[in-house]
Amino acid sequence: MNTWLASSPWLYPALLHLHRTCVMLSVALFIARGVGVALLQAWPMQTSWRYLSVAIDVPLLLAGASLWVLLGYHPLQQTWLGVKLVLLVVYIVLGSFALKRGRTRGQRLAFFIAALAVVLSMAGIALTRSPAFWR
């Protein structure tokens, strides 16, 4: 057992709660901004909303990385974690195209839907700890 877990049993539930809360906030903000972009609103790309996204995503990633260290996980040994990390990169790229890099409204909408499908897959993988979460 990790010595941090042994000496601080509250640490795992606290980090897990922080990680899950940040996931929900991050996805909710992405959905709101994606819908705003689809409706041709200007607010989703305003600096304050982009900074809020970063302010949520930084603790999200730090909590996730802390959980790896705390639990001694390795993405190459726990395949579900490796798949989830690859999908995280895919989600970030799709989200970027959904919010600003897509050239047309239709492209941005398609990227938005694809990003949502990827984030749902990531959630399924995290909950089941299986790369094939649908089994």
Side-chain angles (χ1 to χ4, degrees), residues 104-117:
T104 67
R105 186 178 182 191
Q107 283 180 352
R108 287 190 299 273
L109 184 59
F111 285 120
F112 178 64
I113 292 168
L116 291 178

Side-chain angles (χ1 to χ4, degrees), residues 30 87-102 107-108 110-119:
F30 174 69
L87 288 177
L88 175 61
V89 173
V90 172
Y91 170 67
I92 291 169
V93 170
L94 290 172
S96 175
F97 277 89
L99 295 179
K100 71 176 181 177
R101 299 195 194 289
Q107 283 180 352
R108 287 190 299 273
F111 285 120
F112 178 64
I113 292 168
L116 291 178
V118 169
V119 82

Side-chain angles (χ1 to χ4, degrees), residues 18-129:
L18 174 63
H19 185 69
R20 287 178 176 172
T21 300
C22 289
V23 166
M24 289 186 288
L25 291 172
S26 181
V27 172
L29 181 58
F30 174 69
I31 290 170
R33 290 180 69 205
V35 169
V37 166
L39 296 175
L40 302 176
Q41 301 292 309
W43 70 265
M45 297 313 295
Q46 290 175 348
T47 304
S48 59
W49 294 105
R50 292 185 4 242
Y51 283 149
L52 178 59
S53 180
V54 172
I56 294 169
D57 291 344
V58 168
L60 167 63
L61 292 172
L62 289 174
S66 298
L67 285 167
W68 292 357
V69 172
L70 189 66
L71 298 173
Y73 283 174
H74 192 284
L76 297 178
Q77 293 173 341
Q78 284 78 26
T79 55
W80 66 272
L81 182 57
V83 170
K84 188 177 158 198
L85 291 175
V86 169
L87 288 177
L88 175 61
V89 173
V90 172
Y91 170 67
I92 291 169
V93 170
L94 290 172
S96 175
F97 277 89
L99 295 179
K100 71 176 181 177
R101 299 195 194 289
R103 293 181 185 216
T104 67
R105 186 178 182 191
Q107 283 180 352
R108 287 190 299 273
L109 184 59
F111 285 120
F112 178 64
I113 292 168
L116 291 178
V118 169
V119 82
L120 285 173
S121 298
M122 290 169 57
I125 290 168
L127 291 171
T128 62
R129 293 189 178 182

